[in-house]
Amino acid sequence: MSIEVKNLYKYYGEQAAVKDASFTVNSGEIVGFLGPNGAGKSTTMKIITGFIPASEGEVKVCGIPVDVDSLETRKKIGYLPEHNPLYLDMYVKEYLEFVGNIYKIKNVRQRVEEMIKAVGLEVEQGKKIGMLSKGYRQRVGLAAAIIHDPEVLILDEPTSGLDPNQLVEIRDLIKSIGKKKTVMLSTHIMQEVEAICDRVVIINKGEIVADNKASELQKRTTVQTVYVEFEDQISKSQLQKVPHVRKVEQVRGGWLLETIEEIDLRRVISKYASDNNWLTLTLKIEEKSLEEVFKELTTNKK
Ligand code: ADP
């Protein structure tokens, strides 16, 4: 296990920014840490990287507790903080050498050359960081984060503020770096998780509300929606009388009926329709998009 977080709490004064959070990230996984703004993502990541202490709980990186030997765990972690703080007056190579020297890397010039290639900075390598586009600045941040060859990468909103082309490029880069490392990246963009991550941990108001494979997340929904078409003209108020249905919505020539009860709503509708002599043309369960599941998990709670 590369990252283990157990019963983690973080208080800022009275406010609990993280409440009893537990999750693990296995070696070689790319895990998306998803949640709305203010959910506690950055706070959790700063604790894992040893930048701030936990109030309570246990955090281990590569088996080492971060509060016992944070210098040792920091060597194992590459961290790209939110907003990627860089020295804009420094040249790309100069900055990467500076970071390499902090880690006391031998043959630092050669390592910087390797990093420039790894993140695709060849064309821009002679420029000052302040002259680079946001996408290229992210590449510099990523190069700096992996220069000491860490086992674990923690990336805090690595694609925020990028244009659609830069976004795709940085996602591809993270994916390719992630082949050899364990990656935990935070985001509030669901498509990002679908594009890059093996697994997703969702945090809402400081609490973990889901921890699933990206492909399994759809099943986490408590709301069941059924799409139905009738040959007859049926009104909304008639459909509102179908047992167990809590919401009715008209869409593209048919209806969406919703329940939160653990029943097969198709059976209920089918029976109700035949009891009322309505002819049903279509009846099927609507697959939820990950976006909808995320919304449900982060808005229906407390
Ligand atoms: P996220 O990264 O998911 O947007 P954060 O971890 O940054 O969330 O913040 C979680 C909560 O903790 C927010 O309500 C935020 O205002 C609060 N918070 C974060 N950092 C501090 C701080 N240094 N002092 C006080 N409150 C903070």
Side-chain angles (χ1 to χ4, degrees), residues 24-299:
T24 55
V25 181
N26 302 315
S27 306
E29 264 189 321
I30 303 186
V31 169
F33 195 34
L34 195 73
N37 285 328
K41 303 183 294 295
S42 293
T43 301
T44 307
M45 289 179 136
K46 282 183 197 156
I47 296 170
I48 295 170
T49 54
F51 273 76
I52 56 170
S55 303
E56 276 175 52
E58 223 187 313
V59 178
K60 286 184 189 167
V61 172
C62 302
I64 309 164
V66 291
D67 55 348
V68 172
D69 200 346
S70 109
L71 267 185
E72 199 47 44
T73 53
R74 279 189 210 199
K75 282 186 205 159
K76 298 186 181 298
I77 296 174
Y79 177 39
L80 180 64
E82 203 183 359
H83 311 308
N84 186 13
L86 292 168
Y87 295 109
L88 301 184
D89 275 338
M90 283 179 110
Y91 288 90
V92 171
K93 275 188 170 177
E94 185 190 8
Y95 174 71
L96 292 176
E97 279 179 24
F98 165 74
V99 177
N101 284 327
I102 294 175
Y103 286 107
K104 301 194 171 67
I105 289 168
K106 287 178 203 141
N107 296 329
V108 71
R109 292 226 160 128
Q110 192 192 326
R111 183 68 184 155
V112 167
E113 293 295 333
E114 286 167 18
M115 289 302 98
I116 284 173
K117 262 202 196 130
V119 302
L121 267 170
E122 291 99 327
V123 182
E124 308 286 293
Q125 61 179 302
K127 291 187 182 169
K128 274 189 176 178
I129 294 171
M131 292 159 65
L132 302 181
S133 69
K134 181 110 206 270
Y136 277 97
R137 287 184 198 184
Q138 284 307 80
R139 287 172 196 253
V140 176
L142 279 169
I146 58 173
I147 199 161
H148 57 301
D149 198 19
E151 285 171 47
V152 176
L153 259 187
I154 306 277
L155 311 174
D156 197 350
E157 306 228 358
T159 59
S160 84
L162 300 181
D163 74 32
N165 292 335
Q166 295 168 336
L167 205 103
V168 171
E169 287 166 11
I170 296 296
R171 280 180 190 165
D172 287 346
L173 186 55
I174 293 170
K175 247 173 147 169
S176 90
I177 295 172
K179 285 192 184 132
K180 296 195 192 115
K181 304 199 182 293
T182 304
V183 181
M184 182 173 187
L185 70 98
S186 73
T187 176
H188 54 264
I189 311 165
M190 203 72 208
Q191 294 96 312
E192 193 131 295
V193 168
E194 287 178 299
I196 326 181
C197 303
D198 307 312
R199 197 153 58 84
V200 52
V201 173
I202 302 184
I203 186 168
N204 186 41
K205 296 180 182 164
E207 293 179 62
I208 306 295
V209 292
D211 181 347
N212 295 86
K213 280 192 178 156
S215 55
E216 283 171 3
L217 199 61
Q218 265 115 335
K219 297 182 195 139
R220 274 296 311 265
T221 174
T222 49
V223 181
Q224 187 190 149
T225 309
V226 169
Y227 175 73
V228 59
E229 280 175 21
F230 301 104
E231 194 177 58
D232 320 74
Q233 286 288 326
I234 313 286
S235 70
K236 189 169 180 173
S237 59
Q238 279 175 294
L239 289 173
Q240 278 163 338
K241 292 191 190 121
V242 178
H244 311 289
V245 165
R246 68 157 198 181
K247 200 169 143 198
V248 177
E249 191 188 335
Q250 189 161 27
V251 288
R252 48 172 203 276
W255 298 90
L256 287 177
L257 272 58
E258 198 180 281
T259 186
I260 48 167
E261 289 170 49
E262 281 185 38
I263 45 156
D264 187 342
L265 189 59
R266 291 170 307 176
R267 285 180 67 96
V268 177
I269 296 168
S270 176
K271 174 144 193 333
Y272 192 84
S274 77
D275 287 350
N276 287 277
N277 292 321
W278 304 339
L279 187 65
T280 310
L281 299 176
T282 310
L283 187 60
K284 64 182 177 71
I285 292 189
E286 281 278 296
E287 283 286 334
K288 289 263 161 171
S289 69
L290 284 181
E291 203 78 54
E292 286 167 302
V293 177
F294 172 62
K295 215 170 126 204
E296 195 187 308
L297 285 168
T298 56
T299 50

